[in-house]
Amino acid sequence: MSSDEDEGWVPFSRRPGWSDVVPIPQDDGPNPVVPIAYRDEFRETMDYFRAVYFANERSYRSLQLTSEAIKINPGNYTVWHFRRLIIDSLNVDLWEELEYVDEIASSNSKNYQIWHHRRWLAEKLGTGSANKELEFTKKILALDAKNYHAWSHRQWVLQAFGGWEDELDYCCQLLDDDIFNNSAWNQRYFVITRSPLLGGLQGTRESEGRYAVEAILKNPENESPWRYLRGLYKGDPDLLVGASLVSEVCLKVLQTSHNCIFALCLLLDLLSHGLQPCTELRTAVQRLSSEMELPDASLPGTVCSILERMDPMRSNYWAWRRSNLPCQAS
Amino acid sequence: MEAGELEAEKHVRFILAVEKVLSSLERSRPLFLRLLLLPLSNQPSVDSQRKDDFEALAMEHLRMNGAYWGLTTLYLLHRLDAVDLDEVVSWVLECQHESGGFAGNIGHDPHILYTLSAVQVLALLDKLDVLDADKVSNYVARLQNEDGSFSGDEWGEIDTRFSYCAICCLSILHHLDKINVEKAVNYIVSCKNLDGGFGCTPGAESHAGQIFCCIGALAITGSLNHVDKDLLGWWLCERQVKSGGLNGRPEKLPDVCYSWWVLSSLIIIDRVHWIDKNKLARFILDCQDKENGGISDRPDDAVDVFHTYFGVAGLSLLEYPGIKAIDPAYALPVDTVNKIFFGRLIVRTWRS
């Protein structure tokens, strides 16, 4: 490749295959500021790009030129658009194009255009590309397990082509690596609610509840599994209040951890929805309350006071929760 | 919050300087140039220009966004007078295509992202009358899909960001009737998650940037009844970290841009008092380059126009003294929004 960094960049004006093209500079206005010396490579590449783009020249040399322009600025969406037109016109091998995206993606994994291009290719290739796409997103997620684009591409592949069989295991693996990874928790919820193989929330609630509880007990300050646990009982507060494992995990965390903001918050939800607390729960809350020398109040009111004290940045939120307690609970 | 800690004049100079570098790199017409009015010592040095070169180059294709960020910031800081308005308007119009859509710069393809920015810029300058509103609206309306979602352009990428762009743009142009609003709202609602937040597509993780888009679009269409305000409000206020800054997802680093995404959403759903506003203002002020102007993502990082806009807009939402008020849903000054919908400037006496 003539643009290979090792060999040094050859200006288009000195390349034999480009002698017939007149480069088109960016529109020059009435107030030109003296151009400062800067990346000639960028300027010349874009001048030649404009030439082939405006001439609508869908040729192999144009394809090669878009590769160079993308290398310089992968965010330039017009270059990508033109590249797709060329690919369509020349019937370029789409698998080869996938390889090309593989090459540039790892260093530009947060670029919208690359992912959109990838999706366009996968859509054209159909189900046959499923495994490759799942592997590709895995590779990107190995570099950054929270890459938003990679996750949304992966979700699209699963829904469009399938491949759900190993997805829950994959979530486990990522959560083993980093239990705080909210993206992986989100994917887990995506799998249990949308996979055709698992029986939905009803079929997974028990085992997933145990999984979330285990994660909570390891790191009670981790926001994600607490929300996940709540999500398992989405839209059904009675079921949440009736689930013994939910009130038990609150109790365990209150008894053993200093990081109990999320436990108190969930307990507050349970109490607001009519949970009749056991003696141990009352004792655990009262212990915290007396440590903080808080005045006597109802159990939910005390929980709010503790939270206000423990989490001063959000004290207005907790004060609002107190003011919003059901009559019999406050 | 005390006035005087915001280096407003330096931020204005920073924005003007970036635009100057960009236009000279492109050999195109400078848009904001009144730089010569400034004392020489305040002009960027050649060295600092070189440093900005690459960033400016990478911004070439999204210059329309840059114009929106820069001009809105100047407006909020009472310095739109530093801009050659006619020059901006004619440049914006040159970015328009036959389809009615706008590109990120002259010679680029149209996209809904830049179409919204173009309409916002013209609204900001009170020049919407130069537009054929019908033509622009038809372009936007054609991007709606059967399920109510919106594509970004003819290539079909779908994202709730584009739902916001379409709805905000059509509302400014008084043409929401050109789309199926009910379907558009239903698609956004289908992207709601267990934490009350929203993602880019159904099932995608909640992200403060996407939440702003969804909440903004629902607010504009009068559909906030679909939002679990208390649940979402709690998730949003959990985004505030010890330093006072806001992150966009759990366990991520705080970033000044979320001062906009999170804060505007909290204001729209009327839960902004759930965070510590003083600590947030402190965090934004700590991200200023107090010498050369500009605001960065986190303290001591390099500044850019994007974060300068979000920092100033965030401070505006926090009612920082000396900054004009910005509307949390339209992301335009309140004065501008009032002009669009009431046809005149309403003096808000309750804000100094």
mmCIF file with all atom_site columns, all heavy atoms in Angstrom, chain A residues 63 66-71 80 83 95-105 117-118:
data_model
loop_
_atom_site.group_PDB
_atom_site.id
_atom_site.type_symbol
_atom_site.label_atom_id
_atom_site.label_alt_id
_atom_site.label_comp_id
_atom_site.label_asym_id
_atom_site.label_entity_id
_atom_site.label_seq_id
_atom_site.pdbx_PDB_ins_code
_atom_site.Cartn_x
_atom_site.Cartn_y
_atom_site.Cartn_z
_atom_site.occupancy
_atom_site.B_iso_or_equiv
_atom_site.pdbx_formal_charge
_atom_site.auth_seq_id
_atom_site.auth_comp_id
_atom_site.auth_asym_id
_atom_site.auth_atom_id
_atom_site.pdbx_PDB_model_num
ATOM 1   N N   . LEU A 1 63  ? -12.067 3.762   -3.902 1.00 0.00 ? 63  LEU A N   1
ATOM 2   C CA  . LEU A 1 63  ? -12.210 2.931   -2.698 1.00 0.00 ? 63  LEU A CA  1
ATOM 3   C C   . LEU A 1 63  ? -10.951 3.024   -1.849 1.00 0.00 ? 63  LEU A C   1
ATOM 4   O O   . LEU A 1 63  ? -11.008 3.228   -0.630 1.00 0.00 ? 63  LEU A O   1
ATOM 5   C CB  . LEU A 1 63  ? -12.485 1.479   -3.115 1.00 0.00 ? 63  LEU A CB  1
ATOM 6   C CG  . LEU A 1 63  ? -12.779 0.492   -1.986 1.00 0.00 ? 63  LEU A CG  1
ATOM 7   C CD1 . LEU A 1 63  ? -14.120 0.802   -1.333 1.00 0.00 ? 63  LEU A CD1 1
ATOM 8   C CD2 . LEU A 1 63  ? -12.778 -0.950  -2.504 1.00 0.00 ? 63  LEU A CD2 1
ATOM 9   N N   . THR A 1 66  ? -10.787 6.320   -0.129 1.00 0.00 ? 66  THR A N   1
ATOM 10  C CA  . THR A 1 66  ? -11.623 6.434   1.090  1.00 0.00 ? 66  THR A CA  1
ATOM 11  C C   . THR A 1 66  ? -10.918 5.756   2.268  1.00 0.00 ? 66  THR A C   1
ATOM 12  O O   . THR A 1 66  ? -11.007 6.237   3.395  1.00 0.00 ? 66  THR A O   1
ATOM 13  C CB  . THR A 1 66  ? -13.029 5.819   0.898  1.00 0.00 ? 66  THR A CB  1
ATOM 14  O OG1 . THR A 1 66  ? -12.915 4.439   0.595  1.00 0.00 ? 66  THR A OG1 1
ATOM 15  C CG2 . THR A 1 66  ? -13.824 6.537   -0.169 1.00 0.00 ? 66  THR A CG2 1
ATOM 16  N N   . SER A 1 67  ? -10.203 4.652   2.009  1.00 0.00 ? 67  SER A N   1
ATOM 17  C CA  . SER A 1 67  ? -9.456  4.010   3.109  1.00 0.00 ? 67  SER A CA  1
ATOM 18  C C   . SER A 1 67  ? -8.464  4.989   3.715  1.00 0.00 ? 67  SER A C   1
ATOM 19  O O   . SER A 1 67  ? -8.311  5.076   4.927  1.00 0.00 ? 67  SER A O   1
ATOM 20  C CB  . SER A 1 67  ? -8.689  2.779   2.623  1.00 0.00 ? 67  SER A CB  1
ATOM 21  O OG  . SER A 1 67  ? -9.560  1.862   2.038  1.00 0.00 ? 67  SER A OG  1
ATOM 22  N N   . GLU A 1 68  ? -7.796  5.726   2.856  1.00 0.00 ? 68  GLU A N   1
ATOM 23  C CA  . GLU A 1 68  ? -6.804  6.680   3.362  1.00 0.00 ? 68  GLU A CA  1
ATOM 24  C C   . GLU A 1 68  ? -7.463  7.833   4.109  1.00 0.00 ? 68  GLU A C   1
ATOM 25  O O   . GLU A 1 68  ? -6.975  8.288   5.133  1.00 0.00 ? 68  GLU A O   1
ATOM 26  C CB  . GLU A 1 68  ? -5.940  7.209   2.207  1.00 0.00 ? 68  GLU A CB  1
ATOM 27  C CG  . GLU A 1 68  ? -5.049  6.137   1.624  1.00 0.00 ? 68  GLU A CG  1
ATOM 28  C CD  . GLU A 1 68  ? -3.963  6.718   0.723  1.00 0.00 ? 68  GLU A CD  1
ATOM 29  O OE1 . GLU A 1 68  ? -3.416  7.774   1.069  1.00 0.00 ? 68  GLU A OE1 1
ATOM 30  O OE2 . GLU A 1 68  ? -3.682  6.096   -0.317 1.00 0.00 ? 68  GLU A OE2 1
ATOM 31  N N   . ALA A 1 69  ? -8.592  8.298   3.566  1.00 0.00 ? 69  ALA A N   1
ATOM 32  C CA  . ALA A 1 69  ? -9.294  9.405   4.222  1.00 0.00 ? 69  ALA A CA  1
ATOM 33  C C   . ALA A 1 69  ? -9.841  8.963   5.587  1.00 0.00 ? 69  ALA A C   1
ATOM 34  O O   . ALA A 1 69  ? -9.791  9.713   6.563  1.00 0.00 ? 69  ALA A O   1
ATOM 35  C CB  . ALA A 1 69  ? -10.425 9.912   3.332  1.00 0.00 ? 69  ALA A CB  1
ATOM 36  N N   . ILE A 1 70  ? -10.333 7.714   5.637  1.00 0.00 ? 70  ILE A N   1
ATOM 37  C CA  . ILE A 1 70  ? -10.858 7.186   6.901  1.00 0.00 ? 70  ILE A CA  1
ATOM 38  C C   . ILE A 1 70  ? -9.745  7.030   7.925  1.00 0.00 ? 70  ILE A C   1
ATOM 39  O O   . ILE A 1 70  ? -9.933  7.304   9.108  1.00 0.00 ? 70  ILE A O   1
ATOM 40  C CB  . ILE A 1 70  ? -11.583 5.842   6.646  1.00 0.00 ? 70  ILE A CB  1
ATOM 41  C CG1 . ILE A 1 70  ? -12.939 6.107   5.987  1.00 0.00 ? 70  ILE A CG1 1
ATOM 42  C CG2 . ILE A 1 70  ? -11.753 5.047   7.940  1.00 0.00 ? 70  ILE A CG2 1
ATOM 43  C CD1 . ILE A 1 70  ? -13.599 4.884   5.396  1.00 0.00 ? 70  ILE A CD1 1
ATOM 44  N N   . LYS A 1 71  ? -8.581  6.636   7.423  1.00 0.00 ? 71  LYS A N   1
ATOM 45  C CA  . LYS A 1 71  ? -7.438  6.479   8.325  1.00 0.00 ? 71  LYS A CA  1
ATOM 46  C C   . LYS A 1 71  ? -7.105  7.823   8.991  1.00 0.00 ? 71  LYS A C   1
ATOM 47  O O   . LYS A 1 71  ? -6.793  7.888   10.171 1.00 0.00 ? 71  LYS A O   1
ATOM 48  C CB  . LYS A 1 71  ? -6.245  5.976   7.523  1.00 0.00 ? 71  LYS A CB  1
ATOM 49  C CG  . LYS A 1 71  ? -5.126  5.430   8.371  1.00 0.00 ? 71  LYS A CG  1
ATOM 50  C CD  . LYS A 1 71  ? -4.168  4.693   7.461  1.00 0.00 ? 71  LYS A CD  1
ATOM 51  C CE  . LYS A 1 71  ? -2.779  4.696   8.050  1.00 0.00 ? 71  LYS A CE  1
ATOM 52  N NZ  . LYS A 1 71  ? -1.792  4.300   7.036  1.00 0.00 ? 71  LYS A NZ  1
ATOM 53  N N   . TRP A 1 80  ? -17.520 7.699   4.507  1.00 0.00 ? 80  TRP A N   1
ATOM 54  C CA  . TRP A 1 80  ? -18.117 6.358   4.689  1.00 0.00 ? 80  TRP A CA  1
ATOM 55  C C   . TRP A 1 80  ? -19.296 6.157   3.737  1.00 0.00 ? 80  TRP A C   1
ATOM 56  O O   . TRP A 1 80  ? -19.460 5.094   3.149  1.00 0.00 ? 80  TRP A O   1
ATOM 57  C CB  . TRP A 1 80  ? -18.592 6.181   6.128  1.00 0.00 ? 80  TRP A CB  1
ATOM 58  C CG  . TRP A 1 80  ? -17.492 5.944   7.119  1.00 0.00 ? 80  TRP A CG  1
ATOM 59  C CD1 . TRP A 1 80  ? -16.960 6.839   7.983  1.00 0.00 ? 80  TRP A CD1 1
ATOM 60  C CD2 . TRP A 1 80  ? -16.809 4.699   7.364  1.00 0.00 ? 80  TRP A CD2 1
ATOM 61  N NE1 . TRP A 1 80  ? -15.981 6.248   8.756  1.00 0.00 ? 80  TRP A NE1 1
ATOM 62  C CE2 . TRP A 1 80  ? -15.871 4.934   8.393  1.00 0.00 ? 80  TRP A CE2 1
ATOM 63  C CE3 . TRP A 1 80  ? -16.891 3.420   6.811  1.00 0.00 ? 80  TRP A CE3 1
ATOM 64  C CZ2 . TRP A 1 80  ? -15.036 3.939   8.882  1.00 0.00 ? 80  TRP A CZ2 1
ATOM 65  C CZ3 . TRP A 1 80  ? -16.055 2.420   7.300  1.00 0.00 ? 80  TRP A CZ3 1
ATOM 66  C CH2 . TRP A 1 80  ? -15.127 2.685   8.315  1.00 0.00 ? 80  TRP A CH2 1
ATOM 67  N N   . ARG A 1 83  ? -18.033 5.467   0.389  1.00 0.00 ? 83  ARG A N   1
ATOM 68  C CA  . ARG A 1 83  ? -17.436 4.132   0.353  1.00 0.00 ? 83  ARG A CA  1
ATOM 69  C C   . ARG A 1 83  ? -18.519 3.064   0.119  1.00 0.00 ? 83  ARG A C   1
ATOM 70  O O   . ARG A 1 83  ? -18.340 2.133   -0.652 1.00 0.00 ? 83  ARG A O   1
ATOM 71  C CB  . ARG A 1 83  ? -16.697 3.860   1.665  1.00 0.00 ? 83  ARG A CB  1
ATOM 72  C CG  . ARG A 1 83  ? -15.916 2.562   1.667  1.00 0.00 ? 83  ARG A CG  1
ATOM 73  C CD  . ARG A 1 83  ? -15.128 2.361   2.957  1.00 0.00 ? 83  ARG A CD  1
ATOM 74  N NE  . ARG A 1 83  ? -14.424 1.083   2.943  1.00 0.00 ? 83  ARG A NE  1
ATOM 75  C CZ  . ARG A 1 83  ? -13.206 0.905   2.442  1.00 0.00 ? 83  ARG A CZ  1
ATOM 76  N NH1 . ARG A 1 83  ? -12.542 1.925   1.942  1.00 0.00 ? 83  ARG A NH1 1
ATOM 77  N NH2 . ARG A 1 83  ? -12.647 -0.295  2.440  1.00 0.00 ? 83  ARG A NH2 1
ATOM 78  N N   . TRP A 1 95  ? -17.132 -9.800  2.647  1.00 0.00 ? 95  TRP A N   1
ATOM 79  C CA  . TRP A 1 95  ? -16.330 -10.416 3.724  1.00 0.00 ? 95  TRP A CA  1
ATOM 80  C C   . TRP A 1 95  ? -14.980 -9.721  3.832  1.00 0.00 ? 95  TRP A C   1
ATOM 81  O O   . TRP A 1 95  ? -14.462 -9.531  4.925  1.00 0.00 ? 95  TRP A O   1
ATOM 82  C CB  . TRP A 1 95  ? -16.143 -11.920 3.457  1.00 0.00 ? 95  TRP A CB  1
ATOM 83  C CG  . TRP A 1 95  ? -17.445 -12.671 3.533  1.00 0.00 ? 95  TRP A CG  1
ATOM 84  C CD1 . TRP A 1 95  ? -18.194 -13.109 2.496  1.00 0.00 ? 95  TRP A CD1 1
ATOM 85  C CD2 . TRP A 1 95  ? -18.153 -13.039 4.729  1.00 0.00 ? 95  TRP A CD2 1
ATOM 86  N NE1 . TRP A 1 95  ? -19.328 -13.731 2.949  1.00 0.00 ? 95  TRP A NE1 1
ATOM 87  C CE2 . TRP A 1 95  ? -19.332 -13.710 4.315  1.00 0.00 ? 95  TRP A CE2 1
ATOM 88  C CE3 . TRP A 1 95  ? -17.920 -12.872 6.096  1.00 0.00 ? 95  TRP A CE3 1
ATOM 89  C CZ2 . TRP A 1 95  ? -20.269 -14.201 5.225  1.00 0.00 ? 95  TRP A CZ2 1
ATOM 90  C CZ3 . TRP A 1 95  ? -18.846 -13.378 7.000  1.00 0.00 ? 95  TRP A CZ3 1
ATOM 91  C CH2 . TRP A 1 95  ? -20.000 -14.026 6.568  1.00 0.00 ? 95  TRP A CH2 1
ATOM 92  N N   . GLU A 1 96  ? -14.441 -9.357  2.669  1.00 0.00 ? 96  GLU A N   1
ATOM 93  C CA  . GLU A 1 96  ? -13.183 -8.610  2.698  1.00 0.00 ? 96  GLU A CA  1
ATOM 94  C C   . GLU A 1 96  ? -13.371 -7.256  3.381  1.00 0.00 ? 96  GLU A C   1
ATOM 95  O O   . GLU A 1 96  ? -12.511 -6.792  4.124  1.00 0.00 ? 96  GLU A O   1
ATOM 96  C CB  . GLU A 1 96  ? -12.674 -8.374  1.277  1.00 0.00 ? 96  GLU A CB  1
ATOM 97  C CG  . GLU A 1 96  ? -11.600 -9.348  0.861  1.00 0.00 ? 96  GLU A CG  1
ATOM 98  C CD  . GLU A 1 96  ? -11.184 -9.135  -0.589 1.00 0.00 ? 96  GLU A CD  1
ATOM 99  O OE1 . GLU A 1 96  ? -10.981 -7.965  -0.978 1.00 0.00 ? 96  GLU A OE1 1
ATOM 100 O OE2 . GLU A 1 96  ? -11.087 -10.143 -1.321 1.00 0.00 ? 96  GLU A OE2 1
ATOM 101 N N   . GLU A 1 97  ? -14.533 -6.662  3.125  1.00 0.00 ? 97  GLU A N   1
ATOM 102 C CA  . GLU A 1 97  ? -14.826 -5.372  3.739  1.00 0.00 ? 97  GLU A CA  1
ATOM 103 C C   . GLU A 1 97  ? -14.926 -5.519  5.262  1.00 0.00 ? 97  GLU A C   1
ATOM 104 O O   . GLU A 1 97  ? -14.483 -4.651  6.017  1.00 0.00 ? 97  GLU A O   1
ATOM 105 C CB  . GLU A 1 97  ? -16.122 -4.791  3.146  1.00 0.00 ? 97  GLU A CB  1
ATOM 106 C CG  . GLU A 1 97  ? -16.501 -3.407  3.639  1.00 0.00 ? 97  GLU A CG  1
ATOM 107 C CD  . GLU A 1 97  ? -15.512 -2.308  3.230  1.00 0.00 ? 97  GLU A CD  1
ATOM 108 O OE1 . GLU A 1 97  ? -14.581 -2.576  2.459  1.00 0.00 ? 97  GLU A OE1 1
ATOM 109 O OE2 . GLU A 1 97  ? -15.674 -1.173  3.726  1.00 0.00 ? 97  GLU A OE2 1
ATOM 110 N N   . LEU A 1 98  ? -15.512 -6.636  5.712  1.00 0.00 ? 98  LEU A N   1
ATOM 111 C CA  . LEU A 1 98  ? -15.572 -6.904  7.157  1.00 0.00 ? 98  LEU A CA  1
ATOM 112 C C   . LEU A 1 98  ? -14.158 -6.971  7.746  1.00 0.00 ? 98  LEU A C   1
ATOM 113 O O   . LEU A 1 98  ? -13.904 -6.444  8.835  1.00 0.00 ? 98  LEU A O   1
ATOM 114 C CB  . LEU A 1 98  ? -16.294 -8.218  7.429  1.00 0.00 ? 98  LEU A CB  1
ATOM 115 C CG  . LEU A 1 98  ? -17.807 -8.212  7.694  1.00 0.00 ? 98  LEU A CG  1
ATOM 116 C CD1 . LEU A 1 98  ? -18.252 -9.604  8.136  1.00 0.00 ? 98  LEU A CD1 1
ATOM 117 C CD2 . LEU A 1 98  ? -18.201 -7.198  8.768  1.00 0.00 ? 98  LEU A CD2 1
ATOM 118 N N   . GLU A 1 99  ? -13.263 -7.633  7.003  1.00 0.00 ? 99  GLU A N   1
ATOM 119 C CA  . GLU A 1 99  ? -11.871 -7.721  7.468  1.00 0.00 ? 99  GLU A CA  1
ATOM 120 C C   . GLU A 1 99  ? -11.275 -6.321  7.621  1.00 0.00 ? 99  GLU A C   1
ATOM 121 O O   . GLU A 1 99  ? -10.569 -6.023  8.585  1.00 0.00 ? 99  GLU A O   1
ATOM 122 C CB  . GLU A 1 99  ? -11.003 -8.518  6.474  1.00 0.00 ? 99  GLU A CB  1
ATOM 123 C CG  . GLU A 1 99  ? -11.436 -9.950  6.242  1.00 0.00 ? 99  GLU A CG  1
ATOM 124 C CD  . GLU A 1 99  ? -11.223 -10.820 7.476  1.00 0.00 ? 99  GLU A CD  1
ATOM 125 O OE1 . GLU A 1 99  ? -10.301 -10.526 8.242  1.00 0.00 ? 99  GLU A OE1 1
ATOM 126 O OE2 . GLU A 1 99  ? -12.023 -11.767 7.666  1.00 0.00 ? 99  GLU A OE2 1
ATOM 127 N N   . TYR A 1 100 ? -11.592 -5.483  6.652  1.00 0.00 ? 100 TYR A N   1
ATOM 128 C CA  . TYR A 1 100 ? -11.080 -4.112  6.690  1.00 0.00 ? 100 TYR A CA  1
ATOM 129 C C   . TYR A 1 100 ? -11.583 -3.403  7.959  1.00 0.00 ? 100 TYR A C   1
ATOM 130 O O   . TYR A 1 100 ? -10.816 -2.731  8.658  1.00 0.00 ? 100 TYR A O   1
ATOM 131 C CB  . TYR A 1 100 ? -11.530 -3.365  5.423  1.00 0.00 ? 100 TYR A CB  1
ATOM 132 C CG  . TYR A 1 100 ? -11.420 -1.854  5.517  1.00 0.00 ? 100 TYR A CG  1
ATOM 133 C CD1 . TYR A 1 100 ? -10.179 -1.224  5.450  1.00 0.00 ? 100 TYR A CD1 1
ATOM 134 C CD2 . TYR A 1 100 ? -12.557 -1.065  5.704  1.00 0.00 ? 100 TYR A CD2 1
ATOM 135 C CE1 . TYR A 1 100 ? -10.069 0.148   5.551  1.00 0.00 ? 100 TYR A CE1 1
ATOM 136 C CE2 . TYR A 1 100 ? -12.458 0.309   5.812  1.00 0.00 ? 100 TYR A CE2 1
ATOM 137 C CZ  . TYR A 1 100 ? -11.221 0.920   5.731  1.00 0.00 ? 100 TYR A CZ  1
ATOM 138 O OH  . TYR A 1 100 ? -11.124 2.284   5.851  1.00 0.00 ? 100 TYR A OH  1
ATOM 139 N N   . VAL A 1 101 ? -12.869 -3.555  8.265  1.00 0.00 ? 101 VAL A N   1
ATOM 140 C CA  . VAL A 1 101 ? -13.415 -2.909  9.462  1.00 0.00 ? 101 VAL A CA  1
ATOM 141 C C   . VAL A 1 101 ? -12.764 -3.484  10.718 1.00 0.00 ? 101 VAL A C   1
ATOM 142 O O   . VAL A 1 101 ? -12.456 -2.755  11.662 1.00 0.00 ? 101 VAL A O   1
ATOM 143 C CB  . VAL A 1 101 ? -14.955 -3.049  9.531  1.00 0.00 ? 101 VAL A CB  1
ATOM 144 C CG1 . VAL A 1 101 ? -15.502 -2.339  10.756 1.00 0.00 ? 101 VAL A CG1 1
ATOM 145 C CG2 . VAL A 1 101 ? -15.597 -2.484  8.279  1.00 0.00 ? 101 VAL A CG2 1
ATOM 146 N N   . ASP A 1 102 ? -12.540 -4.810  10.713 1.00 0.00 ? 102 ASP A N   1
ATOM 147 C CA  . ASP A 1 102 ? -11.821 -5.442  11.834 1.00 0.00 ? 102 ASP A CA  1
ATOM 148 C C   . ASP A 1 102 ? -10.526 -4.695  12.119 1.00 0.00 ? 102 ASP A C   1
ATOM 149 O O   . ASP A 1 102 ? -10.206 -4.386  13.255 1.00 0.00 ? 102 ASP A O   1
ATOM 150 C CB  . ASP A 1 102 ? -11.447 -6.888  11.477 1.00 0.00 ? 102 ASP A CB  1
ATOM 151 C CG  . ASP A 1 102 ? -12.562 -7.862  11.813 1.00 0.00 ? 102 ASP A CG  1
ATOM 152 O OD1 . ASP A 1 102 ? -13.549 -7.417  12.429 1.00 0.00 ? 102 ASP A OD1 1
ATOM 153 O OD2 . ASP A 1 102 ? -12.447 -9.046  11.451 1.00 0.00 ? 102 ASP A OD2 1
ATOM 154 N N   . GLU A 1 103 ? -9.805  -4.438  11.043 1.00 0.00 ? 103 GLU A N   1
ATOM 155 C CA  . GLU A 1 103 ? -8.485  -3.827  11.180 1.00 0.00 ? 103 GLU A CA  1
ATOM 156 C C   . GLU A 1 103 ? -8.543  -2.457  11.853 1.00 0.00 ? 103 GLU A C   1
ATOM 157 O O   . GLU A 1 103 ? -7.741  -2.143  12.707 1.00 0.00 ? 103 GLU A O   1
ATOM 158 C CB  . GLU A 1 103 ? -7.842  -3.640  9.804  1.00 0.00 ? 103 GLU A CB  1
ATOM 159 C CG  . GLU A 1 103 ? -7.008  -4.804  9.340  1.00 0.00 ? 103 GLU A CG  1
ATOM 160 C CD  . GLU A 1 103 ? -6.613  -4.598  7.890  1.00 0.00 ? 103 GLU A CD  1
ATOM 161 O OE1 . GLU A 1 103 ? -6.191  -3.473  7.551  1.00 0.00 ? 103 GLU A OE1 1
ATOM 162 O OE2 . GLU A 1 103 ? -6.740  -5.557  7.102  1.00 0.00 ? 103 GLU A OE2 1
ATOM 163 N N   . ILE A 1 104 ? -9.501  -1.625  11.425 1.00 0.00 ? 104 ILE A N   1
ATOM 164 C CA  . ILE A 1 104 ? -9.480  -0.258  11.935 1.00 0.00 ? 104 ILE A CA  1
ATOM 165 C C   . ILE A 1 104 ? -10.320 -0.083  13.205 1.00 0.00 ? 104 ILE A C   1
ATOM 166 O O   . ILE A 1 104 ? -10.177 0.892   13.908 1.00 0.00 ? 104 ILE A O   1
ATOM 167 C CB  . ILE A 1 104 ? -9.964  0.761   10.876 1.00 0.00 ? 104 ILE A CB  1
ATOM 168 C CG1 . ILE A 1 104 ? -11.335 0.362   10.353 1.00 0.00 ? 104 ILE A CG1 1
ATOM 169 C CG2 . ILE A 1 104 ? -8.996  0.888   9.752  1.00 0.00 ? 104 ILE A CG2 1
ATOM 170 C CD1 . ILE A 1 104 ? -11.970 1.486   9.577  1.00 0.00 ? 104 ILE A CD1 1
ATOM 171 N N   . ALA A 1 105 ? -11.166 -1.085  13.505 1.00 0.00 ? 105 ALA A N   1
ATOM 172 C CA  . ALA A 1 105 ? -12.124 -0.871  14.593 1.00 0.00 ? 105 ALA A CA  1
ATOM 173 C C   . ALA A 1 105 ? -11.475 -0.826  15.972 1.00 0.00 ? 105 ALA A C   1
ATOM 174 O O   . ALA A 1 105 ? -11.873 -0.027  16.819 1.00 0.00 ? 105 ALA A O   1
ATOM 175 C CB  . ALA A 1 105 ? -13.204 -1.944  14.562 1.00 0.00 ? 105 ALA A CB  1
ATOM 176 N N   . HIS A 1 117 ? -21.355 1.180   9.721  1.00 0.00 ? 117 HIS A N   1
ATOM 177 C CA  . HIS A 1 117 ? -20.864 0.502   8.523  1.00 0.00 ? 117 HIS A CA  1
ATOM 178 C C   . HIS A 1 117 ? -20.910 -1.012  8.731  1.00 0.00 ? 117 HIS A C   1
ATOM 179 O O   . HIS A 1 117 ? -21.350 -1.773  7.867  1.00 0.00 ? 117 HIS A O   1
ATOM 180 C CB  . HIS A 1 117 ? -19.437 0.968   8.247  1.00 0.00 ? 117 HIS A CB  1
ATOM 181 C CG  . HIS A 1 117 ? -18.911 0.577   6.907  1.00 0.00 ? 117 HIS A CG  1
ATOM 182 N ND1 . HIS A 1 117 ? -19.415 1.100   5.747  1.00 0.00 ? 117 HIS A ND1 1
ATOM 183 C CD2 . HIS A 1 117 ? -17.929 -0.303  6.538  1.00 0.00 ? 117 HIS A CD2 1
ATOM 184 C CE1 . HIS A 1 117 ? -18.761 0.565   4.708  1.00 0.00 ? 117 HIS A CE1 1
ATOM 185 N NE2 . HIS A 1 117 ? -17.860 -0.286  5.173  1.00 0.00 ? 117 HIS A NE2 1
ATOM 186 N N   . ARG A 1 118 ? -20.479 -1.420  9.886  1.00 0.00 ? 118 ARG A N   1
ATOM 187 C CA  . ARG A 1 118 ? -20.453 -2.834  10.244 1.00 0.00 ? 118 ARG A CA  1
ATOM 188 C C   . ARG A 1 118 ? -21.877 -3.426  10.180 1.00 0.00 ? 118 ARG A C   1
ATOM 189 O O   . ARG A 1 118 ? -22.098 -4.508  9.667  1.00 0.00 ? 118 ARG A O   1
ATOM 190 C CB  . ARG A 1 118 ? -19.906 -2.919  11.669 1.00 0.00 ? 118 ARG A CB  1
ATOM 191 C CG  . ARG A 1 118 ? -19.685 -4.280  12.180 1.00 0.00 ? 118 ARG A CG  1
ATOM 192 C CD  . ARG A 1 118 ? -18.219 -4.653  12.121 1.00 0.00 ? 118 ARG A CD  1
ATOM 193 N NE  . ARG A 1 118 ? -18.111 -6.094  12.159 1.00 0.00 ? 118 ARG A NE  1
ATOM 194 C CZ  . ARG A 1 118 ? -16.982 -6.756  11.957 1.00 0.00 ? 118 ARG A CZ  1
ATOM 195 N NH1 . ARG A 1 118 ? -15.877 -6.105  11.718 1.00 0.00 ? 118 ARG A NH1 1
ATOM 196 N NH2 . ARG A 1 118 ? -16.958 -8.065  11.983 1.00 0.00 ? 118 ARG A NH2 1
#
